[in-house]
Amino acid sequence: MSEQALKAEKLDGADELAAKRAEFVLDDGVYLDGNSLGALPVAVPGRVEDVVRRQWGELRIRSWTEGGWWTAPERIGDRIAPLVGAAAGQVVVGDSTSVNVFKALVGAVRLARSAGAGRDEIVVDATTFPTDGYIAHSAARMTGCTLRPVPPSEVPGALGDRTAAVLLNHVDYRTGRLHDLPSLTAAVHAAGALVVWDLCHSAGALPVGLDGHGVDLAVGCTYKYLNGGPGSPAFLYVREALQDRFDSPLPGWNSHAEPFGMRPEYEPAAGAVRGRVGTPDILSMLALEAALEVWDGVSVDAVRAKSLALTDFFLECVEAYLPEGRVECVTPRAHAERGSQVALRCPDAGEVMGRLIARGVVGDFRRPDVLRFGFTPLYVAFADVERAARVLAEELA
Ligand SMILES: Cc1ncc(COP(=O)(O)O)c(C=O)c1O
């Protein structure tokens, strides 16, 4: 047994989250792709069956009221809120991340302008996940703004009295770099602008502290670290102090103050509900609600501590097992700059990932040359990490 295999045994023995693994459906492979699609929590299939057979099949329309379907977006939002450092009443679940980026960004420009005229620039993370960039481009055209793509580290120098809103990713989807949310938020505020954070790669992976850092708006998906399932609805956070001025660009009937009044004039509801649009996708949403039960009794700080230990250990194994210079690590070494994934660059990454998957080690490949490994502390063990690095070394030898 190698030194690293022995160490993995010890680390797993001391892991306070180890028992959580039994709450997921897994096989004997190594799943390091939970930063793309989280694993299935054991409780979900039974809940979905109940929602379909009893709530829909037997109760039918009554489930909208008696079964709590109508209020699910806010209720589930309140379950996600503590995971991202938000008090209740500020998070609503529904629609995709892309749609929520649109609501949040156009809403942020409108909020900035309601506080004073003359702001006509949107700053967007130049390294962003593409959907945010596409939507920012459209939001800029619709609001008469200029779009400025800027690398996150250069954002403070790019801000000024023309800046209306800034759209940033908390963790870079490709490199796994964690951006400095507190200081970037403070810089945006010092310029009199509003910030929108995309939390897709941090919600459920590390502490976010939305309220504590005074974030204005945020969005995130629920199918990665929150294990909501393929295409599960995203979430939207609007800080309480901004809610009564939040002017959604998608004011559907579900965000109306009196949705069943069927009035021709729109009057926005108060609170997080204002972020809703149309009829919620109940099947996905209630699957997500069941999935969130795995968080009962789990602290995000414990998840973060294990996440850093997992990524540290993976880097240690990669260094010990892989031929020197065969891969280049593009994920920062510093804990303060690392999300919950490790990205390794090598010219034949696509082919290598194919071989890893064939051997039961599932990560993913991001063009043109990145091997991406996601570490989901609720169900990844240190033994998985050692095995993944060992198989990777064999394939690269
Ligand atoms: C940072 C980021 N934003 C947005 C998305 C996707 O948005 P949507 O949920 O609308 O497909 C992803 C998907 O991986 C992502 O990583």
Side-chain angles (χ1 to χ4, degrees):
M1 217 186 223
S2 71
E3 184 191 322
Q4 282 72 27
L6 284 169
K7 187 169 173 183
E9 259 183 20
K10 231 193 238 167
L11 288 166
D12 280 326
D15 174 15
E16 62 172 288
L17 294 173
K20 280 280 151 192
R21 187 180 172 97
E23 294 182 34
F24 291 87
V25 177
L26 295 162
D27 52 27
D28 57 8
V30 175
Y31 191 63
L32 300 181
D33 213 4
N35 56 336
S36 200
L37 177 66
L40 171 67
V42 170
V44 170
R47 183 70 53 81
V48 170
E49 167 130 29
D50 178 68
V51 172
V52 172
R53 290 196 186 281
R54 187 182 60 84
Q55 299 184 29
W56 178 15
E58 295 171 25
L59 296 177
R60 292 181 286 272
I61 199 80
R62 289 165 57 192
S63 287
W64 279 109
T65 45
E66 292 168 36
W69 286 1
W70 185 262
T71 50
E74 303 86 79
R75 181 178 71 245
I76 302 169
D78 281 346
R79 183 64 193 89
I80 290 172
L83 303 178
V84 290
Q90 301 174 104
V91 177
V92 71
V93 172
D95 311 311
S96 62
T97 315
S98 304
V99 171
N100 282 302
V101 167
F102 177 75
K103 290 183 232 172
L105 193 54
V106 174
V109 171
R110 290 177 175 178
L111 281 162
R113 287 181 173 163
S114 74
R119 295 188 178 264
D120 63 355
E121 241 176 46
I122 295 175
V123 172
V124 64
D125 177 349
T127 56
T128 189
F129 185 85
T131 206
D132 301 49
Y134 306 152
I135 288 181
H137 190 255
S138 177
R141 281 193 292 146
M142 286 176 57
T143 54
C145 286
T146 305
L147 185 67
R148 277 185 76 181
V150 178
S153 61
E154 294 168 28
V155 161
L159 302 169
D161 54 14
R162 290 183 60 181
T163 316
V166 181
L167 173 61
L168 293 168
N169 290 274
H170 197 188
V171 175
D172 184 293
Y173 78 100
R174 198 184 280 120
T175 63
R177 176 179 291 276
L178 170 64
H179 297 300
D180 188 344
L181 179 144
S183 83
L184 287 167
T185 299
V188 173
H189 288 168
L194 282 94
V195 68
V196 179
W197 283 97
D198 181 330
L199 308 178
C200 282
H201 290 271
S202 59
L206 51 97
V208 178
L210 290 178
D211 287 354
H213 302 303
V215 167
D216 301 305
L217 299 112
V219 302
C221 73
T222 61
Y223 46 75
K224 301 182 193 292
Y225 295 91
L226 298 177
N227 314 301
S232 57
F235 64 88
L236 169 69
Y237 165 91
V238 181
R239 176 153 59 92
E240 189 181 13
L242 299 175
Q243 285 175 346
D244 61 349
R245 288 190 292 126
F246 174 64
D247 179 8
S248 171
L250 292 173
W253 74 293
N254 274 229
S255 65
H256 197 283
E258 199 196 337
F260 292 94
M262 303 294 166
R263 291 196 264 124
E265 325 74 48
Y266 180 71
E267 185 194 329
V273 177
R274 197 175 284 204
R276 287 175 63 163
V277 183
T279 307
D281 39 3
I282 290 297
L283 300 185
S284 286
M285 199 167 280
L286 298 189
L288 166 64
E289 187 169 38
L292 290 169
E293 287 170 9
V294 300
W295 290 90
D296 291 349
V298 173
S299 87
V300 180
D301 287 335
V303 165
R304 176 59 169 165
K306 182 174 170 187
S307 158
L308 288 172
L310 288 167
T311 49
D312 274 345
F313 185 54
F314 185 64
L315 292 170
E316 178 188 325
C317 292
V318 163
E319 227 155 75
Y321 293 169
L322 265 60
E324 212 184 319
R326 185 64 175 86
V327 297
E328 177 204 352
C329 179
V330 293
T331 302
R333 299 269 161 170
H335 283 179
E337 295 175 6
R338 193 193 303 160
S340 200
Q341 72 178 52
V342 172
L344 304 175
R345 185 177 276 154
C346 67
D348 48 348
E351 216 181 278
V352 170
M353 185 50 75
R355 294 205 300 269
L356 287 184
I357 292 170
R359 292 188 60 187
V361 175
V362 180
D364 60 25
F365 163 58
R366 285 291 173 266
R367 277 172 210 289
D369 57 0
V370 169
L371 295 165
R372 207 175 66 146
F373 300 96
F375 296 84
T376 42
L378 296 182
Y379 54 84
V380 168
F382 291 90
D384 294 329
V385 171
E386 190 275 337
R387 184 172 146 201
R390 188 160 29 87
V391 172
L392 175 63
E394 287 165 11
E395 290 304 326
L396 289 176

